[in-house]
Amino acid sequence: MTDFTALLGVDFHRSAPSTLAEIAGLEKTLGVLLPLNYKDFLAWSDGGEGEVGELYLSMWTVEQ
């Protein structure tokens, strides 16, 4: 699994992780298989936001 803390930095504020059932439900709703690295991110943090380098990153939650 990717070390998202090292990748995104300490200023990215993660949310509680998504469950495998939530991720599977998202795939079913969308009718697609999500990329493995994105599913890994959702299992680490269901969305989140913060400074990543010189940019501001905002990631949606599974429900959004």
Side-chain angles (χ1 to χ4, degrees):
M1 182 186 261
T2 303
D3 183 356
F4 290 104
T5 302
L7 182 65
L8 297 172
V10 297
D11 293 325
F12 182 82
H13 305 287
R14 66 187 250 198
S15 302
S18 300
T19 66
L20 295 178
E22 289 170 329
I23 296 168
L26 176 61
E27 290 180 315
K28 184 175 181 179
T29 297
L30 296 175
V32 299
L33 293 177
L34 297 171
L36 183 57
N37 58 350
Y38 185 57
K39 290 194 278 189
D40 285 346
F41 172 79
L42 291 173
W44 176 77
S45 178
D46 183 19
E49 60 185 291
E51 299 288 331
V52 178
E54 294 184 20
L55 302 173
Y56 190 85
L57 176 64
S58 180
M59 300 289 290
W60 290 1
T61 66
V62 166
E63 188 166 314
Q64 290 174 317

